[in-house]
Amino acid sequence: MALTGMQIYKSLPKTNCKDCGVPTCMAFAMQVAAKQRALTDCPHVSEEGKSALSEASAPPQRLIKIGNDGKLFEFGQETVMFRHEEKFHRPAGVAVRVPASLSDADAGKLIDEINKRVFTRVGKDLKVALCAVEIETGDPAARAKLAADKSQAPLILVGSKPEAMKAAVGAVQGQRPLIYKADASNLEAFVEIAAGAKAPLAVAGASLEELADLTSKAKEKTEDLVLAFKGEGGETVRQLTIARRAALRKQFRPFGYPCIVEVEAEQAELETVMASIFAAKYAGIVMVSGVEPWELLPIMVTVQDVFTDPQVPNTVEARLYELGSPGDNAPVLFTTNFSLTYFSVAGEVERSKVPAYVCVVDTEGLGVLNAYAGDKISAEKVVKTIQAQKAADKVKHRKLIIPGLLPIFRAEIEDTSEWKEVVIGPENAREIPAFLQKWPNL
Ligand code: SF4
C-alpha cells in the first residue's frame, strides 16, 4: 500500500538540512509520497528507515545513472504519462552508434564528429548524450578504452558475448557504462558483469512477458536496469506505452525502469523520424546511426520541446540586450520575453551583422501575437519598458523598430514617447537580416 507523507516523515532525520535539495524533511517526505523522489535522495536516512520504507516508497520508475561526475547521463524516475499532468523530468538522450566494423582510426574520427555535434537552440546547448560503441571487434577492451578516452559523453557498450563484454567493462572500470544488452541467452553472465562493475544493465525480451520475467530475475542481483526495445515502428510505441503505464499506474515493478530504443530503419530520414517519435513516447534513450547535423538536430529539437516544463513560462529576462557592439547610431528594436521569440530575433540580428539594441518587454512568456491577444502588451507598456531600460541614453537617434505584427502601436508610441520615428519591422524574424541591411535608411 502507498505510504503517506507523514509515515515517511517519521523515518527521516527531521533536521531540515536541505541536502536533498528541498527546504524541509516534511517537504521531502511529501515528494517521496507523491513518487517524485526516491527515499535514497536523502543521504542521512538511517538503514532502519530505509529497510522499513524502501520498497513501499520506491518511485514507480527507477532513476538510472550512466557514467560518472565528469560524463553523466541520468534518466528515469518519470512520474506521468502525459506532459500536461505535471511535466516530464529528464530529457531523452540521443546515443550514436560507433560500429564494430570501423578501424580504430575511423572509430576515433567518428567519435570526434560526435563530440562536435553541439547545437544552440533557445539559449540551450543540445548535444549527443551517449556514445554507443560496439565492442565485439578484435579487441573489445581496446575499443572500449578508445571510446572512453575520446568520447565527451558517457558510454554504452554494445555486445552480446559475455567474455567480450567482461573485457570491455574491465577496460573502463569506474566509468559506469550502460551494458547493452542482456537477453534470455546471456542474462546470468551479463548480470554478474553488471553487478560486479556496479554498472547499469539493459535487458531485452522477445515479448513483454519475457522482459518482465528477465528483469525480475536480474533484480535479485542488480537494481540498475534499463528496458531495451528494438525500434521498428508502431509496435515499439505500443510496447513502450504499455511498459510505462504498467510501471506508473499499476506499480508493476518488473517494468519500473527507463527504456532504451535501438532505432532500426533502412533510410536515414526514417531513422530520424522514428527516433523523434520514440523519444516523445517513451524512450529515455534513442540509439541511432546517423551523425549528420540534419539527422540529429530534429530529434534533439523534438526532445527539447517535449521535455520543456509546461508549467514554467519559457522566458528570458526583460532587459535591454546589446547584440554585437552597438554604438550610439545602432538600431533599437523591441520584442517579447518568450524565449523562442527572443532567441529568434537575437539570432537573426546577429546573422545580419548589424549590431543592435533589443528591448525585451515582459509579456509573461508569450510571443508577440499571443501577448497582444491576451492583453499582455500594449503601446503604453512598450513605452514604459523602453524608458525604464534607458534605451534613449544609448543612442543619438530616436528611431524605433517595432515588430511587423504590431503596426497598430506606431501612432501611440510616436505620440507618447521620445521615439518620434517608429519604423514597422518585419513580421517574421527571418526577414530581419535583409531589413537591417538598409539601416539607417529605413
Ligand atoms: Fe531532511 Fe534528509 Fe532532506 Fe536533510 S536531506 S532535509 S534530513 S530529508
Side-chain angles (χ1 to χ4, degrees):
M1 203 169 72
L3 293 167
T4 64
M6 190 51 76
Q7 285 169 315
I8 294 164
Y9 177 69
K10 282 181 190 161
S11 293
L12 295 176
K14 305 182 195 69
T15 57
N16 298 334
C17 70
K18 303 186 181 62
D19 287 354
C20 54
V22 293
T24 63
C25 294
M26 178 53 93
F28 177 74
M30 299 310 283
Q31 290 189 351
V32 175
K35 307 285 184 191
Q36 291 165 357
R37 300 289 296 270
L39 189 65
T40 48
D41 288 349
C42 168
H44 311 298
V45 65
S46 67
E47 286 307 315
E48 258 178 14
K50 268 188 212 161
S51 56
L53 299 175
S54 59
E55 186 62 21
S57 65
Q61 190 186 66
R62 190 171 171 82
L63 178 70
I64 298 294
K65 300 182 182 191
I66 303 174
N68 50 31
D69 289 345
K71 307 177 194 175
L72 182 66
F73 178 74
E74 295 183 326
F75 68 137
Q77 220 171 73
E78 296 294 341
T79 52
V80 291
M81 294 296 294
F82 304 105
R83 195 180 76 141
H84 62 261
E85 291 174 331
E86 187 207 356
K87 66 175 178 178
F88 293 157
H89 292 262
R90 291 172 184 82
V94 179
V96 178
R97 283 188 201 96
V98 178
S101 55
L102 295 181
S103 66
D104 281 352
D106 287 344
K109 275 188 212 154
L110 178 57
I111 295 169
D112 287 341
E113 283 303 302
I114 294 169
N115 289 338
K116 281 190 221 151
R117 295 294 175 256
V118 182
F119 311 94
T120 301
R121 180 173 181 264
V122 200
K124 304 243 166 69
D125 283 348
L126 311 179
K127 306 177 186 174
V128 174
L130 296 133
C131 176
V133 58
E134 296 178 356
I135 47 95
E136 280 168 8
T137 54
D139 187 343
R143 180 53 58 97
K145 182 84 172 50
L146 172 84
D149 290 345
K150 285 193 95 63
S151 174
Q152 290 171 4
L155 300 184
I156 301 175
L157 299 179
V158 181
S160 59
K161 296 177 189 152
E163 280 311 309
M165 187 57 78
K166 197 171 175 185
V169 171
V172 294
Q173 255 179 9
Q175 302 206 19
R176 286 183 53 84
L178 174 63
I179 297 172
Y180 184 92
K181 65 189 175 183
D183 59 21
S185 71
N186 60 14
L187 184 78
E188 210 174 312
F190 268 48
V191 166
E192 289 294 336
I193 296 167
K198 295 192 171 34
L201 173 67
V203 181
S207 64
L208 283 173
E209 290 74 17
E210 187 184 81
L211 180 59
D213 195 34
L214 295 178
T215 57
S216 300
K217 282 184 191 144
K219 185 174 175 266
E220 290 166 15
K221 295 220 167 142
T222 176
E223 287 260 40
D224 285 337
L225 300 175
V226 175
L227 308 179
F229 295 90
K230 284 272 179 212
E232 295 164 326
E235 175 58 19
T236 309
V237 174
R238 194 181 77 83
Q239 293 189 345
L240 288 163
T241 307
I242 290 171
R244 171 98 152 205
R245 190 179 295 129
L248 268 51
R249 299 260 163 94
K250 310 265 188 226
Q251 306 282 312
F252 183 62
R253 293 288 182 203
F255 288 161
Y257 308 99
C259 302
I260 178 170
V261 175
E262 186 175 0
V263 183
E264 297 199 335
E266 284 176 11
Q267 295 161 298
E269 297 87 344
L270 197 54
E271 179 181 78
T272 296
V273 171
M274 285 168 62
S276 303
I277 293 169
F278 298 139
K281 259 182 164 352
Y282 289 103
I285 298 173
V286 285
M287 196 195 299
V288 296
S289 298
V291 73
E292 294 301 319
W294 67 265
E295 292 171 294
L296 293 171
L297 184 57
I299 310 170
M300 295 178 184
V301 167
T302 303
V303 170
Q304 190 183 31
D305 289 347
V306 169
F307 284 80
T308 299
D309 185 347
Q311 301 165 107
V312 178
N314 211 351
T315 60
V316 295
E317 187 186 350
R319 64 175 175 84
L320 183 67
Y321 289 80
E322 299 186 5
L323 303 179
S325 302
D328 57 13
N329 203 25
V332 180
L333 306 84
F334 83 81
T335 189
T336 79
N337 73 334
F338 177 41
S339 296
L340 197 55
T341 302
Y342 169 74
F343 284 111
S344 300
V345 170
E348 296 298 341
V349 169
E350 279 164 2
R351 202 160 66 86
S352 77
K353 306 259 190 289
V354 178
Y357 295 98
V358 177
C359 298
V360 170
V361 181
D362 183 358
T363 56
E364 298 175 29
L366 295 179
V368 174
L369 271 188
N370 284 345
Y372 182 61
D375 220 10
K376 301 293 182 197
I377 194 167
S378 62
E380 186 187 353
K381 187 171 184 178
V382 170
V383 168
K384 280 189 181 157
T385 299
I386 295 176
Q387 285 172 345
Q389 293 177 356
K390 298 189 174 19
D393 294 352
K394 299 278 185 182
V395 292
K396 288 192 216 146
H397 64 83
R398 291 296 176 260
K399 195 184 272 192
L400 176 68
I401 300 168
I402 69 173
L405 293 169
L406 295 175
I408 199 165
F409 286 5
R410 179 185 197 165
E412 190 177 336
I413 293 174
E414 285 178 343
D415 288 351
T416 61
S417 77
E418 62 272 57
W419 300 92
K420 294 302 177 196
E421 196 180 342
V422 171
V423 181
I424 296 170
E427 288 190 4
N428 292 308
R430 67 173 180 272
E431 294 157 12
I432 288 174
F435 181 83
L436 284 183
Q437 293 314 309
K438 297 181 218 143
W439 178 263
N441 304 312
L442 295 168

